[in-house]
């Protein structure tokens, strides 16, 4: 078994499902899986991509469940709750973001993240984000994009962080139905669990009543960060 692979027992523990439920999902093609010598094997990167797709299709209750699964899966020394506000330093927030095209948004957002001193190779991050957007755009119908590379990039990050930019007007960023995007988050993670937690928490915030209106009305970086902090504290669970 490859070092990163789950078997049925380890994946059932990770997802807090029974081994029979995991096997049934695999047999029905609901989980990315392959048979090796008659036993199910599950690639860790593919499982995390499956979770990422599930987050994108989930409602509030399901997102809270995903957060709970990921918290339960954390090692004992990493059990602290994720805080988006703590991941988002003031220097990584910019409004208006000086970008009018998809590529200039990606470059500008990566430059924002690099201002923190925690992103050591902006060009490599920009290439990874661009590749992820080419594969499947992260723009949502709400006018928000949750940009990120395909996999966490711990080799070029000093620590996990978020960057946030708002353009003065919406721009085409791959959203469905021609929806324009004006609010951009960049998720820079050092591990799969942290990436999925940040994605799930951001998805919950975006769906919260009045949050996006307050975020778009905020006049400066400090107010934007405070808006996120207060909204995050008001989330149930």
């Amino acid at each position: 078994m490859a070092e990163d692979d789950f078997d049925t027992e380890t994946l059932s523990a990770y997802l807090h499902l029974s081994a029979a439920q995991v096997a049934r999902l695999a047999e029905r093609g609901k989980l990315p899986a392959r048979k090796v010598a008659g036993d199910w094997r599950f690639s860790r990167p593919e499982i995390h991509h499956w979770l990422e797709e599930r987050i994108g299709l989930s409602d509030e209750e399901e997102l809270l469940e995903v957060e709970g699964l990921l918290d339960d899966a954390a090692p004992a020394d990493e059990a602290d709750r994720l805080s988006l506000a703590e991941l988002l330093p003031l220097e990584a927030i910019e409004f208006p973001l000086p970008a009018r095209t998809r590529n200039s948004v990606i470059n500008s957002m990566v430059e924002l993240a690099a201002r923190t001193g925690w992103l050591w190779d902006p060009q490599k991050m920009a290439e990874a984000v661009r590749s992820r957007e080419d594969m499947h755009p992260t723009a949502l119908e709400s006018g928000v994009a949750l940009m990120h590379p395909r996999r966490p990039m711990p080799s070029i990050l000093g620590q996990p962080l978020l960057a946030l930019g708002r353009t003065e007007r919406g721009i085409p960023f791959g959203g469905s139905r021609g929806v324009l995007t004006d609010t951009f988050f960049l998720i820079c993670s050092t591990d799969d669990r942290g990436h999925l937690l940040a994605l799930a928490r951001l998805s919950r915030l975006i769906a919260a009543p009045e949050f996006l209106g307050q975020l778009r009305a905020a006049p400066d970086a400090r107010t934007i960060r405070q808006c996120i902090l207060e909204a995050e504290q008001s989330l149930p669970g």
Side-chain angles (χ1 to χ4, degrees):
M1 183 170 68
E3 184 177 347
D4 280 348
D5 280 0
F6 291 106
D7 60 18
T8 302
E9 294 296 329
T10 55
L11 183 58
S12 65
Y14 185 75
L15 296 178
H16 292 260
L17 300 171
S18 70
Q21 286 174 307
V22 168
R24 192 155 52 245
L25 287 169
E27 288 164 1
R28 294 175 180 174
K30 302 296 185 181
L31 274 175
R34 67 188 188 281
K35 277 284 184 76
V36 177
D39 296 322
W40 287 112
R41 293 290 182 263
F42 308 88
S43 161
R44 190 175 294 266
E46 289 179 356
I47 289 298
H48 284 111
H49 184 59
W50 173 80
L51 278 169
E52 182 179 295
E53 290 184 326
R54 180 181 169 187
I55 287 169
L57 299 173
S58 296
D59 58 21
E60 166 69 19
E61 184 176 345
E62 291 172 327
L63 288 169
L64 185 57
E65 180 185 353
V66 170
E67 281 196 40
L69 290 175
L70 294 166
D71 278 334
D72 290 343
D77 60 349
E78 296 180 12
D80 293 340
R81 294 282 292 176
L82 174 90
S83 169
L84 297 177
E86 291 180 6
L87 292 177
L88 180 63
L90 290 176
E91 61 266 33
I93 303 172
E94 185 160 354
F95 170 73
L97 189 72
R100 296 183 179 180
T101 66
R102 174 179 174 272
N103 278 337
S104 62
V105 165
I106 292 172
N107 292 335
S108 295
M109 290 299 298
V110 169
E111 289 170 8
L112 266 184
R115 285 183 193 173
T116 65
W118 301 330
L119 172 59
W120 302 324
D121 192 336
Q123 182 177 351
K124 188 172 182 179
M125 177 63 74
E127 290 171 354
V129 170
R130 194 169 289 111
S131 176
R132 174 63 177 82
E133 293 294 332
D134 288 342
M135 181 177 69
H136 187 76
T138 61
L140 307 174
E141 291 188 10
S142 57
V144 178
L146 302 180
M147 302 159 52
H148 54 269
R150 175 70 175 80
R151 293 295 311 280
M153 303 181 75
S155 64
I156 63 170
L157 288 165
Q159 67 178 65
L161 69 116
L162 294 176
L164 169 59
R166 281 171 35 213
T167 52
E168 288 187 305
R169 298 179 182 82
I171 67 169
F173 203 75
S176 61
R177 304 177 190 174
V179 173
L180 301 180
T181 306
D182 67 350
T183 303
F184 302 88
F185 286 91
L186 174 61
I187 305 170
C188 300
S189 303
T190 56
D191 62 81
D192 286 307
R193 173 182 166 271
H195 166 70
L196 292 168
L197 271 172
L199 192 59
R201 181 66 60 84
L202 279 170
S203 297
R204 292 181 67 200
L205 276 190
I206 290 166
E210 301 182 1
F211 171 72
L212 284 179
Q214 294 171 353
L215 189 70
R216 288 178 169 127
D220 54 47
R222 194 171 299 277
T223 309
I224 288 172
R225 191 173 184 274
Q226 185 64 27
C227 173
I228 291 172
L229 177 62
E230 292 175 0
E232 193 171 14
Q233 289 174 342
S234 70
L235 286 175

